[in-house]
Amino acid sequence: MAWVGSVLSANELELWTRMVNHDRRHSIAVARRVQHMLAGTADAEDPRWISAALLHDVGKLDASLGVLGRVGATLAGAAAGHDMAEAWSERRGITRRFGLYLRHAELGETRLRVVGARAEAAAWAGAHHDPAAWDELGFPAGVVTALDAADDD
Ligand SMILES: [Fe+2]
Ligand SMILES: [Fe+2]
């Protein structure tokens, strides 16, 4: 995907490429929406925000769950409470994969920091399901609004 390659650094692209098709498509759709929402603002051409959109779900790599498995993980998390995710991720088999999936934000941030991705992309991956953490990011308010509104999962 030429556009993605023009936005991401080589190390970011290497991670992005390892996501499954479904997640790559989602990430491009989110990034295009962010670009559209920021059009005409000073942040529109800033690659930090587009890379944050492209990489926000990269932590889903760790769970390697298909669509049905994700539905299961989401339901299990809702039933047992998201706080169980850490304990589950220490277990084995499908329980472990559910736990990893529910922790994809934190795992994505870690992966991005390890490969030396842009700090903003790593920070957004870690915070994207945690509105209480958004003020501390120090991103322009319009950027956070766009990143959140563009993400439909
Ligand atoms: Fe996510
Ligand atoms: Fe997402």
Side-chain angles (χ1 to χ4, degrees):
M1 181 59 65
W3 178 62
V4 174
S6 74
V7 175
L8 299 183
S9 64
N11 47 355
E12 292 167 345
L13 183 62
E14 196 277 326
L15 262 191
W16 184 88
T17 306
R18 286 161 61 186
M19 288 196 292
V20 297
N21 272 336
H22 169 84
D23 289 337
R24 291 200 299 245
R25 274 200 304 275
H26 168 67
S27 82
I28 291 171
V30 171
R32 288 294 194 192
R33 284 195 283 269
V34 167
Q35 195 178 40
H36 185 74
M37 284 185 259
L38 294 179
T41 74
D43 295 304
E45 299 309 318
D46 191 326
R48 291 178 299 171
W49 315 134
I50 304 302
S51 64
L54 286 171
L55 295 164
H56 74 279
D57 276 333
V58 87
K60 290 183 179 178
L61 270 177
D62 289 282
S64 49
L65 282 177
V67 174
L68 274 179
R70 291 170 180 207
V71 171
T74 304
L75 291 174
H82 200 280
D83 293 348
M84 288 306 296
E86 188 164 348
W88 287 350
S89 63
E90 306 299 324
R91 307 260 302 271
R92 314 176 78 179
I94 193 72
T95 307
R96 170 175 168 77
R97 285 158 67 188
F98 280 10
L100 291 174
Y101 182 76
L102 294 170
R103 294 175 67 197
H104 75 268
E106 165 198 347
L107 296 168
E109 176 171 8
T110 302
R111 274 186 177 276
L112 288 162
R113 293 203 190 283
V114 165
V115 303
R118 268 167 278 221
E120 292 83 358
W124 180 246
H128 75 279
H129 288 296
D130 183 14
W134 293 351
D135 274 354
E136 282 169 41
L137 294 170
F139 293 4
V143 168
V144 173
T145 302
L147 284 167
D148 176 42
D151 190 7
D152 55 356
D153 75 351

